[in-house]
Amino acid sequence: MSSTSTAAELLGRYVAALARKDIDDVVALFADDIMLETPCMPEPAPRRMVGRAQIAPLFQSTFSKVFKVFSWDAIEVHASDDPQLAFAVGKCNVELSDGRNYRNDVAIHVRVRDGRIVMLCEFFDTTRAARAFEGQG
Amino acid sequence: MHPSTANSAAVNLRLGREFFAGMGNVDRDKATFRRMCSPDFVWENSGLPSVQGHEAACAMVDAWAAQIDFASIDIEMLNLVADGDTVLCERVDTMYDSRRQVLFTLPIVGRLKIAGGKIVAYRDYFDPTEVQRKFAF
């Protein structure tokens, strides 16, 4: 991975790795001190986490235990004038481990430094997520 | 980025900046929709009904005024970027009632799609929980 990779390049790799459920590749994009912000996360789940060591298990658990199938119905990655900032918007389509389907609209933006993601922020519709994950523990 | 795309992005960035600067209160919001959006533009908000067209958008603003006493809005723009025909922003909106009491403070990612110098799609991603509670959805 190049230390000069732009935010748009890294965000493109991030959404592609999610679609492959390749969480090792996802986590490899993260800086040690990455901050994950999820302002729409249904309470009582935390809306901010810091550190790859804290965040990696969340992705591994979600994609191995909760999401049976994950895909993007649509995803657009957008660069900006600032090579350290990029946005993506799209629609995810998930088959949950209990067989139910979960779809949501998602907006992601990242900040990068030295070829790694240092801030990852994901917005989605809280009410759809809360309905989908009721009883998922 | 191709020069014409870069030029288009610069124009669209100015449009996006003007659009959000045009927001401020019920009358200004409606005037901005009419001035800057195409007659059949689509306005989508997380967790709320989508509307299409000037009259439906203005009716939604009027409904907010009637139902929850929405009167004005302050927009703190954190990032505003353009990529081709798409403008994306990260902002914090604070909505007030007619006594200037805060109704909501919402972190938001917004996306505008622009064609022919007009906004044809406007989508905001945010946690709608508090908004739905106020509207008793």
Side-chain angles (χ1 to χ4, degrees):
Chain A
M1 191 178 319
S2 167
S3 64
T4 59
S5 295
T6 65
E9 289 167 349
L10 293 176
L11 184 50
R13 288 181 209 165
Y14 171 75
V15 298
L18 287 183
R20 296 193 309 273
K21 291 183 69 178
D22 188 338
I23 303 308
D24 288 342
D25 271 10
V26 169
V27 172
L29 298 167
F30 294 167
D32 289 344
D33 59 348
I34 182 176
M35 181 167 65
L36 171 65
E37 292 192 26
T38 46
C40 301
M41 186 66 83
E43 294 177 334
R47 294 188 165 191
R48 176 176 292 185
M49 297 176 73
V50 177
R52 183 168 55 187
Q54 297 289 319
I55 294 164
L58 171 70
F59 277 81
Q60 284 154 349
S61 169
T62 301
F63 277 77
S64 66
K65 294 179 182 168
V66 182
F67 292 177
K68 185 174 175 187
V69 179
F70 178 95
S71 62
W72 298 107
D73 280 347
I75 188 75
E76 303 171 5
V77 176
H78 293 284
S80 73
D81 285 345
D82 180 352
Q84 296 183 321
L85 174 67
F87 288 79
V89 289
K91 296 174 184 294
C92 69
N93 186 355
V94 179
E95 182 183 339
L96 299 170
S97 55
D98 64 6
R100 289 180 301 142
N101 186 249
Y102 161 61
R103 296 178 120 155
N104 214 335
D105 297 293
V106 181
I108 305 168
H109 59 287
V110 298
R111 283 205 166 272
V112 306
R113 184 189 64 226
D114 299 331
R116 293 278 195 279
I117 296 172
V118 292
M119 191 281 297
L120 171 65
C121 182
E122 296 196 8
F123 283 73
F124 44 81
D125 187 329
T126 313
T127 46
R128 284 192 228 166
R131 275 198 302 270
F133 299 120
E134 262 175 17
Q136 289 278 337
Chain B
M1 191 179 293
H2 189 278
S4 65
T5 305
N7 183 52
S8 165
V11 170
N12 292 336
L13 185 62
R14 281 201 298 276
L15 281 172
R17 191 173 290 124
E18 183 183 343
F19 177 72
F20 289 109
M23 299 292 173
N25 58 45
V26 169
D27 289 339
R28 284 188 59 180
D29 293 1
K30 293 192 294 185
T32 299
F33 282 138
R34 289 197 168 99
R35 186 177 77 254
M36 299 198 64
C37 299
S38 68
D40 60 348
F41 87 106
V42 175
W43 182 20
E44 296 176 278
N45 287 288
S46 295
L48 301 178
S50 298
V51 297
Q52 182 166 18
H54 290 166
E55 296 317 311
C58 292
M60 189 150 93
V61 175
D62 284 334
W64 291 359
Q67 292 175 29
I68 61 170
D69 193 27
F70 165 65
S72 61
I73 184 168
D74 285 345
I75 296 176
E76 180 187 5
M77 190 62 72
L78 304 178
N79 286 293
L80 181 70
V81 306
D83 184 21
D85 64 357
T86 302
V87 174
L88 294 140
C89 64
E90 178 190 9
R91 60 183 210 271
V92 179
D93 287 7
T94 303
M95 298 172 72
Y96 299 91
D97 66 15
S98 58
R99 293 170 296 132
R100 197 63 180 170
Q101 300 296 304
V102 173
L103 291 166
F104 321 109
T105 297
L106 299 171
I108 295 173
V109 165
R111 185 198 65 171
L112 305 175
K113 284 281 188 184
I114 297 173
K118 294 287 186 185
I119 294 163
V120 296
Y122 169 31
R123 166 91 206 210
D124 274 342
Y125 301 82
F126 57 88
D127 176 2
T129 308
E130 190 63 22
V131 179
Q132 290 171 328
R133 195 172 293 139
K134 288 265 192 202
F135 278 104
F137 281 158

